Amino acid sequence: MKQWQFTIKSRTYLTELVSTCIVKPLQVIRRWCIQLIQSWLYKYSLLGIVPLFLAGISLSILLAACSLRNVDNTHNSSVTYQRDVTLTFVSYSVTSAAYEQIIPEFIEQWKKEHNQNITFNQSYDASRSQTLAAVIEGKEADVVHLSLAADINQLVEAGFIQSGWEKEAPNNAIVTKSVDAIATRPGNPKNIKTWADLAQHGIKIVTANPRTSGAARWNFLNLWGYVTKAGGNENQAIDFISKVYKNAPLLPKTARNASELFFKDGQGDVLLNYEKEMFLSAKDGDKISYVVPDVNISIDNPVAVVDKNVDKHGTRSIAEAFIKFLYTPESQREFAKLGFRPVDLTIAKEVEGTFPKIKTIFKAEDLGGWDKIQAKFFDEGAIFDKIRAKKS
C-alpha cells in the first residue's frame, strides 16, 4: 500500500474516533443539560439556573470546536479552515530557475483547491552539500530533488527517508533528466568535438568537484563510460580520466559555480556540465557553442518526500501533492523550457526537436548502480581520490 493511501486512511480513522468518543457523548450531555434546565426553570430562581446555563453554553462551544474539519479527507470537498503552512524544499543548484516558475503555480493551485496558503522555504546548492548540510545537519527539508539517487540513499541510511522511496513516485521517482555537454569558446578555437579531445595537452577545463557536486559525478561517469563502453579496460579509463583532470586546474563546488566561472568570469577553454546549463546560459545572453557527445549517460534526477520531517511537521499530504505536481504536463514543460529532458513521454515528443539525438546512451545501472558506483569511484580513497593524487 502506498504511503499516501495509508496517511489518508489514518486521518479518516482518527476523525471517526474523535466523533465516536468525544463529539457524540458531548451531544448527549448537552441535550441532558438543556432538558434539566427546562425542568428546573419552574422550580428555582434565575440565580440558581445560571451555573447550569453556563455549563450548557460551554458544552456547545466545545462541541462546535470538536466538529471543525481541519483536514479535507476526500481531497475534493471544501475546507472550513486550514492553517497556513510552510514547506521546506531542498534541491541542487541548477534547478532553481525552473522552480521559480513551478512553485508559484503549485501554490496557486493548492490555494484554489484547499483554501490554504503555502510558503516555500527553498534551498539550492550542490547536491552532495544539500544532503549533508541542508538535511542531515539541520535544515528540516520536507521534499528533496537531488542530482542523483546516491544522495537520497544517504538520507535513507541516516534515517530520514524510508527505503523503497523510488516506488513512491512515477518513473522510479526520476522527475528530470539531462545529458552532459561540452561548452567551448565561440568558434571552438581548440576544436573540441569529442570526449577524447579533453585529454589534449594545453586544454584548460572547468568542471565541478565530484566531492560536492552531483553534476561532476555524472561528468566523471561519462568519461569512464566513453572508454569502457567502447571496449577499453579500467586501466585505460583511469589513464584517460587522469589526463582530463590534469587539464582541470579548478574544481568549483557546484555546476552553477562552474558555469559562472566559464561564462561570466571567462575562465577555461572548455566547460563540462549539464546540457541544461547550456540552454540557460544561452537564455541569459551568453555567447555559447557546445557539443553533446554521441556517447553519453542518462542523467536521472530523483525526488523524494523526507519521511522523518513531514511526519514531524504534519506536511506529508502537501509534500506528496507537490511531488505529484512535478509530473504534470505543465511542470514538465517548464523543466523542458530550461533544458531538462522531460520524463513525460508526451511532453518529450513535443520538444524532441529541441534536443540533439544521442547514438549511445547508458545508465548508472549499467555501471552497477549507485551503491557500487559510490564505493568504487567516490568514497574516500577510491578511484577519484587516486586520480587526484596523481595530479598533485
Side-chain angles (χ1 to χ4, degrees):
M1 180 183 296
K2 289 192 177 295
Q3 192 72 40
W4 65 269
Q5 293 173 318
F6 176 81
T7 304
I8 292 171
K9 288 187 176 181
S10 298
R11 288 202 299 263
T12 303
Y13 171 78
L14 289 173
T15 301
E16 292 174 350
L17 185 64
V18 168
S19 177
T20 302
C21 297
I22 298 177
V23 176
K24 290 181 180 178
L26 284 174
Q27 289 173 335
V28 172
I29 294 171
R30 180 171 175 268
R31 286 196 298 269
W32 177 81
C33 285
I34 291 172
Q35 292 171 355
L36 190 62
I37 290 169
Q38 289 173 339
S39 64
W40 284 12
L41 183 60
Y42 298 102
K43 298 181 180 180
Y44 299 95
S45 67
L46 180 62
L47 183 62
I49 66 171
V50 166
L52 288 173
F53 176 78
L54 293 177
I57 292 295
S58 299
L59 283 170
S60 297
I61 294 171
L62 181 58
L63 184 60
C66 290
S67 297
L68 285 175
R69 289 290 189 266
N70 289 327
V71 177
D72 178 10
N73 289 319
T74 66
H75 292 268
N76 291 315
S77 61
S78 61
V79 180
T80 303
Y81 170 73
Q82 288 278 27
R83 65 182 176 85
D84 293 349
V85 67
T86 296
L87 196 74
T88 300
F89 175 62
V90 162
S91 189
Y92 60 108
S93 61
V94 302
T95 65
S96 59
Y99 281 112
E100 286 177 5
Q101 308 302 318
I102 293 171
I103 286 176
E105 293 175 4
F106 175 73
I107 290 173
E108 181 180 357
Q109 176 177 300
W110 186 267
K111 172 69 173 178
K112 181 178 179 181
E113 294 179 355
H114 299 272
N115 192 29
Q116 183 178 37
N117 296 314
I118 302 176
T119 299
F120 272 75
N121 178 16
Q122 303 172 58
S123 176
Y124 301 93
D125 203 346
S127 185
R128 190 72 167 175
S129 298
Q130 292 290 61
T131 302
L132 296 173
V135 181
I136 293 176
E137 296 176 3
K139 186 178 287 294
E140 295 185 352
D142 298 295
V143 176
V144 292
H145 178 190
L146 299 177
S147 179
L148 37 85
D151 291 335
I152 293 185
N153 288 339
Q154 189 171 0
L155 295 177
V156 175
E157 293 173 4
F160 285 87
I161 294 177
Q162 297 173 6
S163 60
W165 59 269
E166 65 277 9
K167 302 302 180 185
E168 297 300 321
N171 198 43
N172 287 325
I174 302 303
V175 72
T176 54
K177 295 195 301 182
S178 191
V179 294
D180 266 329
I182 304 171
T184 66
R185 294 301 173 192
N188 194 8
K190 298 290 184 176
N191 197 30
I192 304 295
K193 296 180 179 178
T194 69
W195 295 117
D197 296 330
L198 300 177
Q200 294 178 22
H201 178 71
I203 301 292
K204 292 184 179 180
I205 299 171
V206 178
T207 182
N209 191 336
R211 281 291 186 197
T212 56
S213 168
R217 278 176 277 175
W218 289 113
N219 293 343
F220 184 100
L221 295 181
N222 249 324
L223 297 171
W224 184 271
Y226 165 70
V227 176
T228 58
K229 291 299 174 182
N233 59 40
E234 293 195 354
N235 288 333
Q236 290 171 321
I238 291 171
D239 181 64
F240 169 68
I241 297 174
S242 297
K243 292 176 182 178
V244 172
Y245 276 94
K246 282 182 180 179
N247 288 337
L250 295 174
L251 295 177
K253 180 181 179 182
T254 73
R256 180 53 50 80
N257 293 155
S259 291
E260 290 172 349
L261 282 175
F262 185 78
F263 292 114
K264 306 299 182 187
D265 298 344
Q267 296 194 33
D269 303 307
V270 171
L271 169 70
L272 301 188
N273 216 326
Y274 293 120
E275 177 187 48
K276 66 92 39 198
E277 282 295 275
M278 312 306 165
F279 274 69
L280 188 61
S281 295
K283 190 179 181 69
D284 290 342
D286 295 317
K287 293 181 179 179
I288 179 172
S289 61
Y290 68 94
V291 295
V292 177
D294 284 341
V295 177
N296 224 304
I297 193 167
S298 178
I299 297 174
D300 298 334
N301 314 127
V303 66
V305 168
V306 184
D307 297 291
K308 179 178 179 180
N309 293 336
V310 296
D311 290 340
K312 177 180 178 182
H313 303 157
T315 54
R316 179 177 290 278
S317 62
I318 298 174
E320 291 173 346
F322 177 58
I323 287 180
K324 184 178 180 181
F325 186 77
L326 300 182
Y327 288 90
T328 62
E330 294 79 10
S331 294
Q332 288 291 302
R333 285 191 184 96
E334 291 296 343
F335 283 127
K337 288 176 186 176
L338 293 167
F340 289 100
R341 297 189 175 212
V343 298
D344 183 298
L345 297 180
T346 301
I347 307 305
K349 186 70 174 176
E350 287 180 9
V351 300
E352 64 180 354
T354 307
F355 301 98
K357 292 185 178 180
I358 298 169
K359 291 181 180 179
T360 302
I361 192 159
F362 61 101
K363 289 179 169 288
E365 288 76 11
D366 297 326
L367 300 177
W370 273 106
D371 288 343
K372 291 183 179 180
I373 287 171
Q374 182 65 34
K376 181 174 182 175
F377 297 111
F378 304 120
D379 277 352
E380 188 171 348
I383 288 176
F384 175 71
D385 279 355
K386 292 176 180 177
I387 288 173
R388 292 295 289 165
K390 286 182 180 180
K391 177 182 175 181
S392 59

